[in-house]
Amino acid sequence: MQDILVMKFGGTSVGSAERMKGAARLSAQQKLRRPVVTVVSAMSGITDLLLDSMRHAEAGDSHGLETGIQALQDRHLEACRQLLPPHQRDAVLGGIHSLIADFQRITNGMLMLGERPPRSVDEAVAIGERLSTLLMAAYLESEGVRAIAINAADLIVTDAVYGNASPLLEPTRANVRKNLLPWIEGGVLPVVTGFNGATADGRPTTLGRGGSDFSASILAAALDAAELWIWTDVDGIMTADPRLVPGAAVLEEVTYNEAAELAYNGAKVLHPRTLAPLVERQIPVWSKNSFAPEKPGTKIVPSLQGRFGARAVTSTSKVALISIEPAGDTSIGGQVMGRALDALGRANVEVLALSSSSFRQSFCFLVRAEELRAAMEGLEAALSLELTHGYLRPIDVDESVGLLAVVGEGMRGTAGLAGRIFTAISRENVNIIAIAQGSSELTISIVVHRDGLEKAVRAVHAECRMGV
Ligand code: ADP
Ligand code: ASP
Ligand code: MG
């Protein structure tokens, strides 16, 4: 099927009945022109609420759990009342109650066991998206647009890494042909859950926090879609997070590589894995503001004409720095580094930045905070001999750091730029702990003390004149 448009609406873009109406309108408008598939997140705050309720269940706090379930119910019933006239509510109310009953069943199990098995968490947390798709599809129908709510567990096939699953594209394509394409061909607007999938044998999984962007790109690739539009609450991909840098400007166009680097280094506007499925087919992506749909947004494209230098700065504080250092004048550094990286690879830990000193043979690398435990277990097992015999100092972990990344195609070719960036950060009295320029051609990664992170971001943004 030709010219399919996949649209994804984030949590704030479906966060209330009013916002859902807006998202439905945008979907319906485009559907007049071409086939549309709409992917939706849970209403804003719902995923956190579900995860929180499960934590209460695990801790044996039945009151906390009940309060969570009540809030879940109130929010969706209220939205339903505002979206649909009374005579059209029955089927949807039934659907809402049955999904909430599912959540109750799963969390009661957790309460009894005092445990939160990852597989059950994934099944339960996806209920947020199932509720929002149900409401959105019902509202579209009530407005005369033929629509159907679809659970992505019937489309996206993943591995069994609960909480952070990866898609398997071939079986996903087969499912999409069987369970999604016939609806599109029949002129129906499918409203698909973001965030979730299932293993080939049907066990529910999720794609990581913020994963609805990724769901939409997986479906766009599987459908060979013409375009993907990601609707969010800012005007597009900006030179910095506007919450940190008031003068941040919208970028008209960025390359897949730039967008991927920004996402990977903490720019929440895109889930880090969103672009991977699209690059091969060169499917263009737009990031747009559902609160101001008339604005052009940002187009993500394969390449740009000319060289542009430093274009955006991003940061994340959810990281930890691990340092490994030989105890004396040994020459074991090189092989220790090889084994350390190998251990991290096997533990599925991503190294965000790596820096080494050849003289001391010491090295340090940055990992995501949520992967720190797995990293340390892997490292301590792989280096246990050296650690026990005192060839290495005890592994040092610094959790009070943050990562700042400056991104721009062609940036490395700009003479003196790195120096200007470092000077701008130092001028703010922020200490630079480590620098990793080598990780990619278009990114300079800088580790600083967390307290100085926001100041450093603003200083770099101003120094490189990125803003308006
Ligand atoms: P959604 O719920 O629509 O997926 P998110 O909250 O996940 O939205 O992402 C949008 C947010 O990303 C914005 O509100 C903004 O604060 C943040 N953000 C971080 N870095 C950037 C950036 N470089 N450009 C735009 N937004 C950014
Ligand atoms: N609802 C999920 C989350 O909050 C996925 C998403 O919004 O993209 O993480
Ligand atoms: Mg998001």
Side-chain angles (χ1 to χ4, degrees), residues 61-118:
D61 172 10
S62 57
H63 177 70
L65 172 61
E66 272 162 36
T67 313
I69 292 177
Q70 192 60 50
L72 180 70
Q73 179 159 317
D74 292 348
R75 182 96 179 266
H76 290 89
L77 292 184
E78 176 63 17
C80 179
R81 267 192 292 274
Q82 292 181 20
L83 285 169
L84 300 169
H87 66 279
Q88 287 181 344
R89 281 181 205 151
D90 280 357
V92 187
L93 286 176
I96 294 176
H97 285 303
S98 123
L99 284 170
I100 292 177
D102 275 350
F103 186 73
Q104 218 149 12
R105 175 183 52 78
I106 301 169
T107 46
N108 276 335
M110 293 175 178
L111 195 65
M112 253 156 19
L113 288 171
E115 242 181 74
R116 256 183 316 149

Side-chain angles (χ1 to χ4, degrees), residues 97-147:
H97 285 303
S98 123
L99 284 170
I100 292 177
D102 275 350
F103 186 73
Q104 218 149 12
R105 175 183 52 78
I106 301 169
T107 46
N108 276 335
M110 293 175 178
L111 195 65
M112 253 156 19
L113 288 171
E115 242 181 74
R116 256 183 316 149
R119 172 182 170 174
S120 307
V121 171
D122 275 8
E123 181 177 1
V125 76
I127 286 175
E129 270 69 11
R130 293 181 60 199
L131 287 163
S132 57
T133 44
L134 199 67
L135 285 169
M136 177 84 132
Y139 176 70
L140 281 159
E141 283 272 326
S142 77
E143 289 291 295
V145 182
R146 290 168 61 214

Side-chain angles (χ1 to χ4, degrees), residues 292-316:
E294 69 289 352
K295 293 193 178 164
T298 301
K299 187 175 189 189
I300 307 176
V301 293
S303 64
L304 287 172
Q305 296 297 312
R307 317 194 98 202
F308 288 88
R311 303 186 70 216
V313 54
T314 180
S315 64
T316 170

